[in-house]
Amino acid sequence: MSSTTPTAPSVAPKPGTRTIRIRVKRCEGPGKPERWEEFTLQVSAGDGTNVIAALQRIAAKPVTVEGKNTIPVAWDSGCLEEVCGACTMVVNGKVRQSCSALMDTIAPNEGDVVTLEPMSKFPVIRDLVVDRSRVFHNLKRVKAWVPVDGTYDLGAGPKESPETQETRYVLSTCMSCGCCLEACPQFTKQENPETWDSAFLGAHAISQARLFNMHGTGKQLEKERLEALAGPGGVDDCGNAQNCVKVCPKRIPLTESIGAMGRAVTIHAVKKLFTLR
Amino acid sequence: MSSAETTKPQSFFEKNHLLLRRLHSLTGIVPIGVFLIAHLVTNSSILWGKVGMRQAGHDMTMVQGGVTYFQKEVQWINEQVPHLLLIEIILWTALAYHSILGFYYARTGRTNVTSYAYQSNWRYTLQRISGYIGILFIIYHIGTLRWGWTFLVPGGATWSHEFAASTLALALRGGEDFTAAGVAVSLFYLICVSLLVFHFANGLWTAAITWGLTISQSAQKRWGYVCAGLGAGLMLAAWSAVVGFATLSPAQARDFEKKYHEKYGGPAAVEKLGKPATGPSMNPSTSAVRESVPVQGQ
Ligand code: SF4
Ligand code: SF4
Ligand code: FES
């Protein structure tokens, strides 16, 4: 970040600004070939440019470093404050929310390169947009909800102790972003949705099963959740690489959830073994 | 099961998923892990056997103590452990189960250490690599030393439980003295036993999460220290064994073994001593060595 860099761009940079390069993995649609395109961008320290803002500026003038006109890059975003998960992508080789990826942090120096790729475990819809349906499908597999639907008023739910509240709160902050799945070596891309039900659920679903098993009313589905966790693709398919917990933006103790559900499944299986039916 | 709209009939593997998975985890500890501990403790006695012999009232040098104690142990296992065949069958069954399912399970994952170079991710990857290499090593180890695949042993030594240390040293060194191939075999042993010890220690750590014994991160950490400690101890034993046998002079070991048989071996063992080996110490050619060493079953 200096005015004396030999690789001066055609326009003399304002003091305090730097030119960075954004490399984007592009794909025009499902089954279409992938290609890389590179763009340059001028940013200045403290201007708060994040990946989304960078993509917006590129979209306004979609010209590659080679000077070729191109189609604006497609991306997804929502909350822009790291709570919805829509903008999740692989930034500089690691999965994260792009809305909270600030250029000052990820590309602090003149000439730094930022690579943007879509998550690799989900089907690409276009460029950086992927279809995260399987994240939600797997939540359905473990019935990650409280069963309150009915035809009459069920009344007030059971009280929650502050202790369970404390454990549950952080679990409830999961935004189904898919980071834990992208980084997990056991969660592999499934081209055919027919295999979804036997493939690994992923840390988020295991953790959500724990969240709802700890809920006074949610407990009603405990056995069904444990059956799903004991089945193919369940908690035993975890290989304990513990990448999930390291990449989770919400710092959810996923490996603790995996241990807790491992224990619950063990107890459930032993109970089943000794229950005559 | 799951909330799948389509309910396909489940295969045997799907129906018994948990049972098969947990058996895989269990077999790694009992009997395989337990056997590994016993095996390494026994084999490392080549270095600490002197202490064992001193307790039995014999003051021996380190080498003689090691050779003698190891001989005593091996003979005890071969001749006095009850139901040895049953134990072997159980071990083989467990090993086959653990490795075949392990291979299958390992194929369900795809390692990504290049993107996520976390220590735990490395262990995940190494756990799989050590499994693959480990089972090949075990087959080589048992094939060459027990099933007589001597064509895979440089120098062609046959392991004999009456001359346990000396024949093992021959197999590791590739002859009376180190040969290039012998160095390679010894290094191969060193690497593979290290991988297997890692595989066991790390597997013990992950098993505690799988079974739900350790949940909190601090509990996982504490158990991690225990596993690392056990792993370090076993690693030491494994290295002692490989280094101890590889640096052992087969001729010298043979002398000690003969002394052992003359003294404690009983009539059967003395008979098996056969013709006294005269050649090897003066003529270290491998064929002479082979002839001079009585082979099990002769
Ligand atoms: S557990 Fe964390 S990483 Fe996984 S989906 Fe939820 S918020 Fe994202
Ligand atoms: S601990 Fe399990 S769920 Fe988490 S990344 Fe590793 S294999 Fe995946
Ligand atoms: S846009 Fe919602 S998390 Fe980034």
Side-chain angles (χ1 to χ4, degrees), chain A:
Chain A
M1 33 184 359
S2 69
S3 44
T4 55
T5 22
T7 54
S10 48
V11 196
K14 281 179 264 145
T17 64
R18 63 188 189 277
T19 305
I20 57 171
R21 303 203 280 176
I22 315 274
R23 255 166 72 75
V24 186
K25 193 192 237 179
R26 309 213 46 181
C27 172
E28 276 166 29
K32 297 274 173 60
E34 290 166 348
R35 65 173 197 281
W36 287 92
E37 269 178 11
E38 206 170 306
F39 306 89
T40 49
L41 199 70
Q42 275 196 18
V43 291
S44 46
D47 70 358
T49 306
N50 60 12
V51 169
I52 303 289
L55 287 170
Q56 281 172 333
R57 284 173 53 193
I58 290 169
K61 192 169 168 273
V63 181
T64 67
V65 270
E66 296 91 9
K68 197 184 88 193
N69 279 318
T70 186
I71 320 157
V73 179
W75 76 89
D76 202 353
S77 67
C79 66
L80 297 181
E81 55 177 5
E82 206 181 71
V83 288
C84 76
C87 66
T88 309
M89 63 179 75
V90 178
V91 180
N92 283 344
K94 284 208 170 57
V95 69
R96 62 173 299 171
Q97 276 65 55
S98 54
C99 69
S100 55
L102 296 175
M103 292 307 166
D104 281 352
T105 323
I106 60 173
N109 302 312
E110 171 72 29
D112 276 352
V113 181
V114 174
T115 62
L116 303 177
E117 296 164 76
M119 284 197 276
S120 65
K121 304 289 173 76
F122 306 100
V124 174
I125 295 173
R126 191 185 179 105
D127 296 336
L128 303 170
V129 185
V130 297
D131 175 2
R132 286 183 299 139
S133 301
R134 194 172 150 214
V135 179
F136 305 100
H137 178 88
N138 286 356
L139 290 175
K140 288 187 210 156
R141 282 167 72 190
V142 297
K143 301 195 192 310
W145 57 74
V146 177
V148 285
D149 286 351
T151 51
Y152 59 94
D153 184 0
L154 295 170
K159 278 244 164 63
E160 250 193 87
S161 73
E163 204 194 1
T164 12
Q165 257 177 32
E166 210 179 295
T167 314
R168 288 188 70 241
Y169 175 71
V170 64
L171 305 182
S172 75
T173 60
C174 172
M175 54 179 167
S176 314
C177 64
C179 282
C180 55
L181 308 175
E182 175 68 15
C184 172
Q186 286 295 113
F187 190 91
T188 49
K189 188 171 186 182
Q190 302 294 319
E191 305 284 354
N192 183 354
E194 288 206 352
T195 60
W196 284 6
D197 276 323
S198 54
F200 184 40
L201 280 161
H204 78 304
I206 296 169
S207 193
Q208 290 301 294
R210 181 184 181 206
L211 170 71
F212 288 103
N213 276 0
M214 287 178 79
H215 183 278
T217 311
K219 258 194 195 84
Q220 287 174 12
L221 297 174
E222 184 178 12
K223 277 201 188 116
E224 287 158 72
R225 293 195 192 101
L226 294 181
E227 284 292 322
L229 289 177
V235 66
D236 274 57
D237 287 35
C238 161
N240 295 299
Q242 305 207 328
N243 293 353
C244 50
V245 75
K246 299 211 178 63
V247 298
C248 175
K250 296 288 139 189
R251 296 171 196 273
I252 297 171
L254 294 166
T255 46
E256 300 195 356
S257 288
I258 290 164
M261 289 297 95
R263 177 181 292 183
V265 164
T266 307
I267 294 169
H268 176 66
V270 172
K271 270 192 194 158
K272 236 170 80 174
L273 195 65
F274 292 107
T275 308
L276 292 175
R277 236 190 322 151

Side-chain angles (χ1 to χ4, degrees), chain B residues 54-74:
Chain B
R54 193 189 300 137
Q55 262 162 14
H58 303 275
D59 199 15
M60 294 179 170
T61 63
M62 184 149 156
V63 176
Q64 187 177 8
V67 170
T68 311
Y69 192 87
F70 181 65
Q71 182 58 37
K72 203 171 83 146
E73 290 289 289
V74 169

Side-chain angles (χ1 to χ4, degrees), chain B residues 170-217:
Chain B
L170 278 177
L172 284 177
R173 294 160 75 104
E176 290 291 330
D177 292 312
F178 261 121
T179 63
V183 173
V185 168
S186 300
L187 279 179
F188 177 63
Y189 262 76
L190 199 63
I191 293 165
C192 291
V193 291
S194 307
L195 285 174
L196 285 172
V197 166
F198 166 82
H199 190 88
F200 174 56
N202 188 51
L204 207 56
W205 181 74
T206 58
I209 304 171
T210 304
W211 290 83
L213 296 173
T214 52
I215 293 181
S216 72
Q217 269 166 29

